[in-house]
Amino acid sequence: MEDLSHLRQSYEKSELSDAGLPEFPFELFAKWFNELRDFGKEPEINAMTLSTIGIDGYPKARVVLLKSFDDSGFVFFSNYESEKGQAMELEPKVCLSFFWPSMERQVIIKGSVSKIDDAESEAYFHSRPRGSQLGALASNQSLPVESRHKLDDRLKTLESEFEGRQIPKPEYWGGYKVQPESMEFWQGRANRMHDRILYVIEDGDWKQIRLQP
Ligand SMILES: Cc1cc2nc3c(=O)[nH]c(=O)nc-3n(C[C@H](O)[C@H](O)[C@H](O)COP(=O)(O)O)c2cc1C
C-alpha cells in the first residue's frame, strides 16, 4: 500500500474572523471569489463539484462550471437528459462545493435546484463558441457510444449541416439555478484549527453559526 501519511500542509494564508462578516452569504461568496480572481493563482475559479442523489440511490459528484451568481442563486449549464439531469429531476436537492487551494478555502452550498427560463438558456447557448454549441448537439451526454470515431463523425456531419447557419439550441440543453438553503465557508488555519462559518436560513433570515473545525 502506498503510504501518503507524509503529505500534509499547514494552512496559514488567511483567516475568517467574526468581526465584519457580511449579513448575507452571497456577499462573502462574492468577496472570496473576487479575492481569488485578483490573486490569480487558481486555474479554474468557477469549477465546482455538483453532488446529486442518483436515481440508483447513490450520491454522485462531478465538476461543472459556475456561469453566474447573485443573491437569487448559482447558475450552471448542462444536458437535461444526462445522468445528473435525471437525478435532479427526481430529487431537486443538490450540493455545490468549491475548493480553492491557492487560498486554502472551501465553500459548500446546499440548496434546491430548478431549470432556468428557456430564453436565458437560449441566450447563453448562442454566446458560446460554435464548437461548444455543436458539441452539445453531438453528444447524448452520459449515454454509451460505440467509439470516439463515432462521436467525431457526428460532429463533422453537424459542422457541414449548419455551415453558415445559426445552430439551434437543443431542447434537452440548458441552465440550472441552485437556490441555497445553507452556505458554509471554510478557511484553512494552522494546527487544523480551521475557521468554519455556516450561513443557514432560519425563519426567512440568514443566520451565522461558527462550527468547530
Ligand atoms: C473543469 C470541468 C468543467 C466541466 N464543466 C461542465 C459543465 O459546465 N457542464 C456539464 O454538463 N459538464 C461539465 N463537465 C463534465 C462533467 O464533469 C461530467 O463529466 C458531465 O457533465 C457528465 O456528468 P453526468 O454523467 O453525471 O451527468 C466539466 C468537467 C470538468 C472537469
Side-chain angles (χ1 to χ4, degrees):
M1 186 185 260
E2 176 113 359
D3 180 13
L4 306 175
S5 58
H6 60 289
L7 291 180
R8 62 179 75 240
Q9 300 243 8
S10 182
Y11 303 129
E12 300 176 9
K13 292 218 165 86
S14 190
E15 59 180 66
L16 191 51
S17 52
D18 299 304
L21 277 179
E23 186 181 350
F24 300 110
F26 311 99
E27 293 171 47
L28 186 53
F29 186 87
K31 179 174 180 282
W32 274 21
F33 202 85
N34 290 331
E35 283 171 3
L36 259 302
R37 204 155 30 188
D38 294 345
F39 195 48
K41 299 243 164 72
E42 210 63 64
E44 293 204 80
I45 313 176
N46 60 330
M48 57 186 185
T49 300
L50 163 73
S51 303
T52 53
I53 302 162
I55 51 179
D56 56 5
Y58 283 96
K60 183 179 170 186
R62 80 290 279 157
V63 175
V64 294
L65 294 178
L66 176 67
K67 284 294 163 179
S68 62
F69 69 90
D70 61 17
D71 56 8
S72 69
F74 295 80
V75 173
F76 64 92
F77 290 84
S78 194
N79 183 311
Y80 290 149
E81 292 171 0
S82 62
E83 188 179 343
K84 77 181 90 50
Q86 293 180 40
M88 291 186 287
E89 191 73 40
L90 191 78
E91 184 51 272
K93 287 182 180 159
V94 299
C95 177
L96 300 174
S97 63
F98 295 82
F99 174 42
W100 292 312
S102 69
M103 288 193 78
E104 301 163 347
R105 287 174 175 174
Q106 173 179 222
V107 177
I108 302 169
I109 298 165
K110 287 198 250 176
S112 48
V113 67
S114 52
K115 290 176 184 165
I116 65 171
D117 286 349
D118 209 44
E120 277 179 68
S121 293
E122 188 85 36
Y124 174 68
F125 183 81
H126 295 298
S127 77
R128 304 171 85 210
R130 265 184 94 76
S132 308
Q133 295 184 39
L134 288 169
L137 239 68
S139 165
N140 296 314
Q141 194 177 53
S142 314
L143 290 182
V145 64
E146 271 164 54
S147 64
R148 173 77 216 190
H149 185 68
K150 197 100 188 162
L151 271 180
D152 292 336
D153 266 2
R154 222 184 273 161
L155 187 65
K156 260 195 214 126
T157 311
L158 288 166
E159 268 164 6
S160 45
E161 191 181 333
F162 289 104
E163 201 181 335
R165 291 202 288 142
Q166 194 186 61
I167 301 153
K169 179 188 81 61
E171 267 180 31
Y172 56 75
W173 191 96
Y176 288 99
K177 182 181 267 191
V178 178
Q179 197 186 337
E181 275 148 36
S182 74
M183 286 176 67
E184 181 188 332
F185 295 82
W186 183 101
Q187 175 67 62
R189 299 288 305 273
N191 303 317
R192 300 296 183 256
M193 293 291 279
H194 315 301
D195 286 324
R196 297 176 65 191
I197 301 292
L198 176 68
Y199 285 80
V200 277
I201 299 182
E202 266 184 28
D203 305 324
D205 289 322
W206 284 102
K207 193 181 162 204
Q208 302 155 15
I209 303 163
R210 179 171 284 273
L211 302 177
Q212 299 182 42

